[in-house]
Amino acid sequence: ADVSTGNVPAGSPQPAEEKAQLLQNSEYQERMVESTFLYLTLDLPTAPLYKDEKEQLIIPQVPLFSILAKFNGSTEKEYKTYKENFLKRFQLTRLPPYLIFCIKRFTKNNFFVEKNPTIVNFPITNVDLREYLSEEVQAAHAHTTYDLIANIVHDGKPSEGSYRIHVLHHGTGKWYELQDLQVTDILPQMITLSEAYIQIWKRREEDETNQQGA
């Protein structure tokens, strides 16, 4: 699958006329780059730093489709280097049989690694990505709906945490939780309450039936 990106320099907001003049210069013109990807990185909103009025630090939540908006072709994100600032827009140009989402929970600076505890609210079936394709590309994709088949979770602090994995048994439609050598049943509703880190989604074909029970 490919990602189509358009880059423009970032800066303070400009009036429409001034922006149009700047775009005439080669330095400020947009350019399209098509590149393959192994996984899609989903950015989480910044977690709150302060407690609420009840002195409790409430864990924030965000819908999956909010962080998927990064790939709708119109949402711009600023990137900074030591030389310049620029904006990028991403749009999917092909949908593979399997998709891997990497939810960006960890941020590394010069001193330590921080973890964002934001919970991502997501359905485990019927995630349609058609709107993240251009109209021309949509015509070439008969199937754009995905079902979750694996969910990797990170619990605890970045340096002391542990991992769990939720896996769908395709034959029975049941979900299982694996941690080290322990395997237990888990309800699909419980999967969405975890701090998901990496997810694997399978494209649904027309002749497939939903066996996940949710």
Side-chain angles (χ1 to χ4, degrees), residues 4 69-76 89-92 131-132:
S4 177
K70 172 182 178 180
F71 299 99
N72 62 13
S74 59
T75 299
E76 293 181 336
R89 296 194 304 270
F90 299 90
Q91 187 165 36
L92 302 179
E131 65 179 278
Y132 304 103

Side-chain angles (χ1 to χ4, degrees), residues 2-89:
D2 298 324
V3 176
S4 177
T5 64
N7 305 334
V8 296
S12 58
Q14 302 287 341
E17 298 81 4
E18 185 175 348
K19 184 176 180 180
Q21 291 179 351
L22 289 174
L23 290 176
Q24 300 301 316
N25 301 328
S26 59
E27 178 183 0
Y28 293 96
Q29 287 184 355
E30 295 184 355
R31 55 191 186 89
M32 300 290 293
V33 178
E34 186 173 279
S35 58
T36 58
F37 65 86
L38 294 176
Y39 57 86
L40 298 178
T41 301
L42 305 183
D43 304 310
L44 292 174
T46 303
L49 299 177
Y50 305 102
K51 297 181 179 181
D52 65 4
E53 62 276 6
K54 296 182 181 180
E55 294 299 315
Q56 295 179 342
L57 186 59
I58 298 177
I59 298 177
Q61 301 183 35
V62 62
L64 174 65
F65 292 102
S66 293
I67 56 178
L68 274 174
K70 172 182 178 180
F71 299 99
N72 62 13
S74 59
T75 299
E76 293 181 336
K77 182 181 178 181
E78 184 176 3
Y79 292 81
K80 297 182 179 181
T81 68
Y82 68 96
K83 288 185 177 180
E84 61 181 350
N85 295 351
F86 55 95
L87 299 177
K88 278 189 176 183
R89 296 194 304 270

Side-chain angles (χ1 to χ4, degrees), residues 165 167 175-186:
I165 181 171
V167 179
W175 282 90
Y176 295 91
E177 179 177 283
L178 288 70
Q179 187 169 26
D180 297 328
L181 298 179
Q182 296 182 347
V183 180
T184 56
D185 298 349
I186 186 171

Side-chain angles (χ1 to χ4, degrees), residues 108-121:
K108 185 177 182 180
N109 56 33
N110 294 330
F111 304 100
F112 51 84
V113 177
E114 293 181 291
K115 179 185 176 183
N116 189 325
T118 299
I119 298 295
V120 178
N121 296 320

Side-chain angles (χ1 to χ4, degrees), residues 191-204:
I191 297 174
T192 62
L193 303 177
S194 62
E195 295 183 19
Y197 179 37
I198 297 175
Q199 296 182 328
I200 301 177
W201 297 78
K202 182 179 184 296
R203 189 176 64 198
R204 181 181 295 185

